[in-house]
Amino acid sequence: MDRTIVLITGCSSGIGLHLAVRLASDGSQSFKGIGGDQHRGQGGAPTGKQGDESFIPSQILVYATMRDLKAQGPLLEAARARGCPPGSLETLELDVRDSDSVAAAQGCVTEGRVDVLVCNAGRGLFGPLEAHELDAVGAVLDVNVVGTVRMLQAFLPDMKRRHSGRVLVTASVGGLMGLPFHEVYCASKFALEGLCESLAILLPLFGVHVSLIECGPVHTAFYEKLEGGPGGALERADARTQCLFTHYQRSYEQALSEAQDPEEVTELFLTALRAPRPALRYFSTDRFLPLARLRAEDPSGSSYVTAMHRKAFADLQAQEGPEAGASAPGDQDATSSALICLPGCASPRVASELCWPASDKPGQDKPCYQQKS
């Protein structure tokens, strides 16, 4: 029985590390419609129709890649602790910023194919836009966007030729909605959404499926590895912007302290892999879905901008008073302020479906996503 060959980028830490170990430690997974030549008829044509419901057990070999193999210690330690069988995990050096490095790693895959490609490598940038060096901006776009394109250009042609394969991309809620002080990061993740959504229309004709794993905050070293550090060259920003960033950073760090465990996100990757007809998007948390819906319901963008402005800065404005410019942009009336919501709820219609009225204060065991009876 041929193995299912999985290649994952960005495995030195975080989601990539956990996913590589999770897959390698389980000797036999069941994936539908992906894998080696035993799934094909004559001429390499797939045996069975698209979306075939039969499970195909297959041994897995994971190629865990990273920019510098000197950083592979935590991965190997986690693999030993998890009891990964010998031969189930290989490490490769691969820098998604370098086409030659991608080609060299591809040449090291001795099986000659990759059945599952996981584009996980990513970089972050956090702070006022004017505080970022252009080199840092370029690095984030190169890794997050161009690096993903390099990987797809390298591995998609063979998947299409074999009429078999899965592509999973680590995405972010920052690719579905703009977030203050994450402008460049969100730009890179918005680009990934467009890239993968466009491919998702075409690739099923070749027996290949692409899925985005939409993550909220996750407990990883991502924050510590931000390009230029948190805030960048903050002194370049005006005093007001610096103050707003410092305020926002505190709430952002609080959100990080309540982030998901990478193992939770890892299970979502497996859900996408096991699906006979995988969806384009899988969400690791439903916390941000009301905001995503809000963006779709008001194409002008005004409702979302108002909602996020309130969420990010309303308490600061309340402290400073109306003279500091407390009104939210695009705020034409106070209707939505009649509802007190958890992060992600703002418009009257969305909030009325998913939140509690103002008379029910937070802390009374009324979850934001509880449907009204």
Side-chain angles (χ1 to χ4, degrees), residues 191-211:
L192 283 183
E193 295 288 329
L195 174 70
C196 294
E197 188 170 287
S198 300
L199 287 172
I201 300 167
L202 171 70
L203 291 181
L205 297 172
F206 295 90
V208 180
H209 297 274
V210 59
S211 294

Side-chain angles (χ1 to χ4, degrees), residues 70-135:
K70 294 177 182 176
Q72 68 181 333
L75 171 68
L76 298 179
E77 182 179 345
R80 285 192 294 269
R82 193 76 181 243
C84 293
S88 64
L89 180 68
E90 300 285 345
T91 58
L92 290 177
E93 190 166 279
L94 190 158
D95 185 349
V96 299
R97 303 170 301 176
D98 184 344
S99 296
D100 290 338
S101 176
V102 173
Q106 186 176 21
C108 292
V109 179
T110 56
E111 293 76 14
R113 71 174 197 282
V114 167
D115 302 305
V116 179
L117 174 65
V118 182
C119 296
N120 170 72
R123 292 283 185 86
L125 199 63
F126 178 48
L129 183 63
E130 58 269 40
H132 300 316
E133 299 282 355
L134 286 180
D135 286 347

